[in-house]
Amino acid sequence: MCGIVGYIGERQAYPIVVKGLKRLEYRGYDSAGVALIDEHLSVYKKKGKVADMEDAIVGQHLGGHVGIGHTRWATHGEPSDRNAHPHRSASGKLAMIHNGIIENYMAIKEELTQKGYHFSSDTDTEVLLNFIEDIRVNNACGLEEALRIALKRIVGAYCILLIDEDDPGTILAARKGSPLVIGIGKNEHFLASDASPIIEYTKEVVYVNDYQVAIVKKDELVLKNLGNEKVTPFITKLDMELAAIEKGGYDHFMLKEIHEQPATIFDCLRGRLLPEAGLIKMGGVEANIDALINAPRIIIVACGTSWHAGLVAEYLIEETCRIPVEVEYASEFRYRNPIIHPGDVIIAISQSGETADTLVALENAKEKGAFIFGIVNSVGSSIARLSHAGAYTHSGPEIGVASTKAFTGQLAVISMMALKMAAAKGTITTEKYTELLFELQAIPEKVATILKDTSHIEAIAEKYKDASDFLFLGRGYNFPVALEGALKLKEISYIHAEGYPAAEMKHGPIALVDENLPVVFVATRDRFYEKIVSNVQEIKARKGKVICVASEGDKVIPTMADDTMFVPDADELVGPLLSVIPLQLLSYYVGLKKGYDVDKPRNLAKSVTVE
Ligand code: AGP
């Protein structure tokens, strides 16, 4: 899940490409590089972050009106200068960048090696580049045709940008599986993995589809399929503002995005949640309400944090709609040859809308006749376009690798969807339905209350930052929240943390408990409260250090726990939207105090576009 940027036009390409790479650095930061054409083709690349590359090429010739740039998340070949992109072809005339994985590259490499090709890197990308060049030479055809021929032979996922020293007026681009957006300017075009490097120059974009090739000149954009047939580009207007992708005075995007949640949850509910009218307006749900409420089964497919939102959805939909729900890890579901019955509904949850495992799982399920409903944040993303219907979370661009505001956006959409379906199905009383509409409406303000003063959470982080392990426990709707808290801490602080249903402790994990193990309980007031209080006592009995998320006004928990983080009281069905906030902050502050890059944690990337 690398970041790809390209520019062709009348301006100098280098500054635009480098600025774009910095906007995409959350996609991967193992190495960075650019290729520019002025008189000649120049390629500069360096292990590390974009800034490291900039420092390394000060004083070099960086002129030219066409340029491509790459920030890498290593798959084939360790992070190093020689494995960094762009790669240069054997003739030295072509340069290419790639986001994705070519699965059959070893076979092609073998073929080319027998022809006398040598490779300076371990990457699949360099193999593909020389394969394209070899086809051009042997078939005596143009580069675009050679590219289309090569793409028909490879297996895997790709978004590639290709430039030729002998044709400085063209960028060739192609995608399958990995995202590509092209921004349309006046006598210039911008190419990128997502819209964030493009937004400050133009709001007119084209989302390139799978198996399409783009021939991009400064004043012309031609789209073709691999069969060399032209395709009319579909221009979309971006509804995103530049400010949305700036830090807005916060030290980190993660902290900014945590503090944005009162506004982003409000935006997600706006125009959809109408408690006074007893209504929930969701076009995608309304238009498909029969398919949704008559589904014999609902299968939720997702990864990571989105999978945790799926678990909350399971509890919510089963309780309010009485429809059986299964929550599947997309990476397992895609290969398990799952049984899909006619009428089964798949709900796909994804912030980026580009997660490869989720995307392919949906493609497989769609082929088997399932109805796909997407809950996505990134507008125009592949999962959004693949789904039969869906709902956006309207959380705005999420830059921090650790998902925060998108998670609460997903929970808000799922809550509205479940309640709307339950009302249509008649499986919820009007009183409870109305009560929950007002409970949801109150959430943004309650989140703002939690965020008013977070100094006590910062102090708790300081106290436990040197722990080597953590346990997170919850019951019912708070169990997925415990899993999410553990994931956030792992991602940001690199501390080993596990989430568990609290009652599961006695079946093994309690053996881990001693005076060195912090145990975080999500212990807000709900139908499991008494049970969770005894679970806290079990841990205290073994000298465990207990940190609790508790409901405001709770007089019992603070007497038992070593540390307590309060959240406003709320119905347990909407409770996860509140109880997760202190856990997001705890992980942020622990990571910060350990001196880690909380926006770009090691080994991670924001959007996992390779399997
Ligand atoms: C969460 O903080 C992580 N970034 C990761 O687990 C993420 O949730 C997962 O990769 C799924 O991403 P998606 O929602 O964009 O599909």
Side-chain angles (χ1 to χ4, degrees):
M1 32 268 163
C2 310
I4 284 217
V5 176
Y7 173 79
I8 186 160
E10 292 168 351
R11 304 187 220 199
Q12 284 299 308
Y14 178 70
I16 293 172
V17 169
V18 166
K19 195 171 185 183
L21 287 179
K22 286 182 177 164
R23 292 227 188 277
L24 290 181
E25 210 163 17
Y26 62 84
R27 301 177 63 89
Y29 23 90
D30 290 327
S31 64
V34 295
L36 305 163
I37 301 179
D38 200 2
E39 301 299 308
H40 302 288
L41 171 66
S42 315
V43 176
Y44 306 107
K45 52 188 181 175
K46 188 90 185 109
K47 179 173 182 254
K49 300 207 167 132
V50 177
D52 303 323
M53 176 204 64
E54 280 184 290
D55 296 346
I57 61 177
V58 171
Q60 296 286 344
H61 178 68
L62 301 171
H65 299 294
V66 58
I68 58 177
H70 185 269
T71 178
R72 183 174 189 234
W73 192 88
T75 51
H76 290 86
E78 62 173 9
S80 64
D81 292 359
R82 69 191 187 86
N83 287 331
H85 298 211
H87 289 282
R88 204 172 192 151
S89 65
S91 71
K93 293 280 186 184
L94 307 180
M96 189 167 91
I97 53 178
H98 167 222
N99 170 26
I101 287 182
I102 309 301
E103 291 166 25
N104 62 336
Y105 85 105
M106 282 310 283
I108 296 170
K109 188 172 186 175
E110 199 42 51
E111 251 179 65
L112 292 172
T113 305
Q114 276 160 17
K115 287 184 175 183
Y117 280 84
H118 298 284
F119 296 92
S120 57
S121 78
D122 310 319
T123 67
D124 49 348
T125 308
E126 188 188 9
V127 173
L128 174 58
L129 176 57
N130 282 313
F131 184 46
I132 296 166
E133 183 159 72
D134 187 62
I135 292 168
R136 178 164 77 165
V137 174
N138 293 333
N139 297 33
C141 64
L143 188 58
E144 183 216 321
E145 187 178 351
L147 172 62
R148 281 188 276 104
I149 294 169
L151 295 180
K152 286 181 197 153
R153 277 276 315 273
I154 59 165
V155 178
Y158 58 82
C159 171
I160 55 177
L161 300 191
L162 174 61
I163 55 176
D164 178 357
E165 181 176 89
D166 296 337
D167 180 9
T170 307
I171 297 178
L172 291 177
R175 78 149 284 186
K176 180 206 167 258
S178 302
L180 175 60
V181 190
I182 300 179
I184 301 166
K186 200 164 171 326
N187 278 330
E188 55 188 1
H189 285 98
F190 307 83
L191 303 92
S193 301
D194 66 38
S196 55
I198 294 173
I199 181 74
E200 68 187 275
Y201 306 105
T202 176
K203 293 210 170 174
E204 301 230 317
V205 299
V206 171
Y207 289 95
V208 179
N209 288 322
D210 277 355
Y211 303 108
Q212 289 185 344
V213 171
I215 300 100
V216 189
K217 300 184 184 299
K218 71 173 184 176
D219 52 5
E220 189 190 22
L221 165 61
V222 175
L223 273 187
K224 288 185 179 178
N225 58 28
L226 294 186
N228 196 20
E229 294 151 341
K230 282 197 176 170
V231 180
T232 312
F234 178 73
I235 299 174
T236 308
K237 207 163 182 51
L238 290 173
D239 66 355
M240 187 205 303
E241 296 307 325
L242 186 57
I245 53 176
E246 305 283 352
K247 277 193 194 137
Y250 287 90
D251 293 342
H252 298 98
F253 282 109
M254 184 180 181
L255 188 64
K256 175 198 176 205
E257 288 154 7
I258 290 173
H259 281 269
E260 278 182 328
Q261 290 177 104
T264 54
I265 298 170
F266 182 81
D267 288 345
C268 179
L269 302 175
R270 188 200 351 243
R272 292 163 157 173
L273 182 72
L274 310 164
E276 291 73 17
L279 280 179
I280 292 173
K281 298 177 73 103
M282 295 175 81
V285 176
E286 252 146 52
N288 301 282
I289 195 71
D290 291 341
L292 292 167
I293 63 174
N294 298 319
R297 182 174 58 147
I298 290 178
I299 304 167
I300 299 176
V301 175
C303 303
T305 288
S306 297
W307 187 83
H308 294 150
L311 270 185
V312 175
E314 177 183 31
Y315 284 75
L316 262 174
I317 294 172
E318 290 201 343
E319 172 154 1
T320 58
C321 306
R322 308 311 294 150
I323 299 172
V325 175
E326 292 162 22
V327 185
E328 299 281 354
Y329 280 116
S331 53
E332 289 298 314
F333 188 73
R334 65 177 287 184
Y335 285 114
R336 213 183 62 233
N337 189 16
I339 301 155
I340 304 282
H341 297 302
D344 278 350
V345 167
I346 303 263
I347 297 181
I349 307 178
S350 176
Q351 186 288 122
S352 62
E354 300 294 352
T355 300
D357 285 324
T358 308
L359 196 52
V360 177
L362 297 184
E363 284 163 356
N364 299 350
K366 200 173 180 178
E367 266 161 37
K368 292 181 178 209
F371 176 81
I372 313 287
F373 189 95
I375 297 178
V376 173
N377 189 39
S378 296
V379 176
S381 58
S382 304
I383 291 175
R385 287 181 283 131
L386 183 89
S387 302
H388 293 106
Y392 285 120
T393 59
H394 299 306
S395 309
E398 190 174 65
I399 311 285
V401 167
S403 186
T404 53
K405 63 177 181 175
F407 179 64
T408 50
Q410 290 161 352
L411 297 183
V413 164
I414 287 161
S415 305
M416 290 189 285
M417 185 175 176
L419 290 174
K420 186 171 179 66
M421 289 164 60
K425 206 162 183 274
T427 49
I428 189 169
T429 63
T430 310
E431 295 71 41
K432 187 67 183 173
Y433 171 75
T434 311
E435 183 198 315
L436 286 169
L437 295 194
F438 284 102
E439 281 272 350
L440 258 181
Q441 187 181 49
I443 290 291
E445 220 168 291
K446 288 181 177 178
V447 172
T449 309
I450 301 169
L451 295 170
K452 242 197 225 93
D453 174 8
T454 64
S455 55
H456 63 299
I457 298 176
E458 189 170 355
I460 293 171
E462 177 61 40
K463 188 173 171 184
Y464 297 100
K465 70 180 187 325
D466 300 320
S468 58
D469 305 274
F470 266 73
L471 269 181
F472 287 75
L473 304 176
R475 300 179 78 130
Y477 289 90
N478 284 331
F479 162 50
V481 176
L483 290 174
E484 178 57 10
L487 177 63
K488 288 280 104 49
L489 193 68
K490 278 184 273 213
E491 287 185 271
I492 299 298
S493 74
Y494 318 152
I495 296 175
H496 170 242
E498 285 190 74
Y500 262 90
E504 239 345 79
M505 283 296 292
K506 294 190 279 298
H507 307 287
I510 198 165
L512 298 168
V513 177
D514 62 19
E515 61 282 1
N516 304 315
L517 182 72
V519 181
V520 179
F521 278 90
V522 188
T524 52
R525 247 194 303 272
D526 60 14
R527 75 188 86 168
F528 303 102
Y529 182 71
E530 302 312 326
K531 308 264 183 246
I532 207 100
V533 167
S534 20
N535 293 139
V536 171
Q537 286 160 337
E538 285 156 15
I539 300 297
K540 286 311 295 173
R542 286 143 183 98
K543 302 193 175 32
K545 290 285 181 293
V546 171
I547 305 161
C548 282
V549 177
S551 301
E552 249 158 35
D554 185 323
K555 297 277 179 288
V556 176
I557 291 281
T559 62
M560 303 161 55
D562 298 273
D563 297 280
T564 305
M565 304 179 281
F566 288 102
V567 296
D569 217 353
D571 187 289
E572 65 182 296
L573 271 67
V574 298
L577 281 144
L578 301 177
S579 52
V580 74
I581 309 290
L583 304 184
Q584 295 170 344
L585 287 160
L586 182 67
S587 66
Y588 170 78
Y589 285 121
V590 172
L592 187 71
K593 290 175 184 303
K594 291 172 85 76
Y596 296 141
D597 185 337
V598 293
D599 280 342
K600 296 191 215 58
R602 72 183 184 196
N603 304 341
L604 287 178
K606 183 66 187 169
S607 173
V608 184
T609 53
V610 291
E611 66 168 302

